[in-house]
Amino acid sequence: MKILVINAGSSSLKYQLIDMADESVIAKGLVERIGIAGSMLTHKYGDDQKYEIAREIPDHTAAMHLVIEALLDKRHGVLSSINEIGAVGHRVLHGGEKFSASILIDKAVEDAIEEYIPLGPLHNPANLMGIRACQAVMPKTPQVAVFDTAFHQTMPPKAYMYGVPYEYYEKHHIRRYGFHGTSHRFVSGRAVELWGKPHSRIIVCHLGNGSSMSAVVDGKCFDTSMGLTPLEGVLMGTRSGSLDPAVVEYMAMRENLSVTEVLTILNKKSGLIGISGASSDMRDVNKAADEGNERAKLALEMWAYGVKKYIGSYAAAMGGLDMLVFTAGIGENDGPGREKICEGLEFLGVKLDKEVNLSVRSREAKISAADSKVEVWVIPTNEELAIARDTRDIVTGKN
Ligand code: AMP
């Protein structure tokens, strides 16, 4: 069975066509800079062959149409008919309290994803557009939703409750949900294997355009940095991360804005872009900082400091730390960023092998020094494979 996995993010759309017979990737690609100048699709297939389409891509629907076009392309495509796709697995951001596992998509599931847009304002609309574009192109192909919130369901109440009146939890289910769950599940699962001992205390730093941290004890999520929505936690590409909630009212008053307008600013115009003024993309922020841009330097300092504080607090929450793991776009590729985060954590037993750390990009590797008490690893995430496995299991009735 061939499964198409769609991961529609805020400004990007990743896809992979996976042959479940051997879990090999037949083709994969990335639509970048959706809605930003310079958008393009990069399609990879076969023996490292690459096909690029540079075109204005205003929204996710246009991006999905371009993916289908690339898969069916006479010269560079890998399919002769769209019917060769047995099922589509979609990464879906927010499942509220309704979904604690992956599920076959029907109208009710779509309605629920729509209902949770206020909880995932950057992603749920993009996920829905991906689902609807696929339905339009291949109406008979089953589609599965794999929720980012599912892995975090094992958190204890002391970690997921907010200190607001209890009735708001009962009436409105206001609590921490956490996101990037498929990635945290995949990466921490691999970390547990690498650690190889029955008891493990692992911190996963998923650092990408969206970023989140998780504390994983014996393979189960114990705490995570994102909350009711993906706005909470560390500083991100366009999101502020945690702040004093009173800032919302104060910003609204001073700038004559509605609460919704303030939240749009916190979701879309804050974080790396808000502080640096240069870009939401870490590569651009690094470049600006190298060129002497003081605000870009400040953004980098704030970013690394925030991640470092989570590492300290999760080590305390778990009563110690065995493995620290970096993953996602920044975590897998930005050696200097990882070094900045780990600087000063020797007291916790974290000691990088600086040379090895700087040499590791996009591959699994241990980056801690031989005498580091805590093992530090880069483990590339593979949300697509995790989604494809769930999708296969659901459509074949194994799940
Ligand atoms: P993701 O959301 O996981 O796709 O990650 C996207 C982020 O990874 C963007 O901020 C990119 O700038 C960042 N990224 C990718 N490659 C690098 C790199 N070589 N150095 C620093 N950041 C990178």
Side-chain angles (χ1 to χ4, degrees), residues 14 208-209 280-283 286 328-330 333-334 361:
K14 291 184 201 160
N209 188 36
S280 63
D281 190 291
M282 186 55 102
R283 286 164 293 197
N286 278 333
I330 305 171
N333 291 294
D334 191 350
R361 283 181 68 169

Side-chain angles (χ1 to χ4, degrees), residues 297-334:
K297 286 186 200 169
L298 174 63
L300 293 180
E301 296 275 326
M302 290 170 66
W303 172 81
Y305 179 66
V307 175
K308 192 197 301 273
K309 285 206 295 187
Y310 266 102
I311 293 170
S313 67
Y314 284 171
M318 295 190 292
L321 180 61
D322 300 312
M323 276 179 97
L324 176 63
V325 184
F326 290 95
T327 196
I330 305 171
E332 290 168 29
N333 291 294
D334 191 350

Side-chain angles (χ1 to χ4, degrees), residues 108-154:
V109 172
E110 263 184 75
D111 288 348
I113 296 169
E114 186 143 30
E115 186 188 324
Y116 294 129
I117 285 177
L119 297 176
L122 283 183
H123 289 82
N124 270 31
N127 301 151
L128 262 185
M129 279 190 271
I131 290 166
R132 286 175 180 157
C134 285
Q135 285 169 337
V137 182
M138 37 185 158
K140 294 204 176 111
T141 311
Q143 303 199 38
V144 168
V146 179
F147 295 95
D148 262 27
T149 40
F151 178 65
H152 304 301
Q153 290 297 307
T154 52

Side-chain angles (χ1 to χ4, degrees), residues 97 119 167-175 177 228:
E97 287 206 317
L119 297 176
E167 70 202 68
Y168 295 131
Y169 169 65
E170 292 178 311
K171 276 202 297 196
H172 307 300
H173 313 292
I174 293 175
R175 51 160 283 182
Y177 289 93
L228 177 77

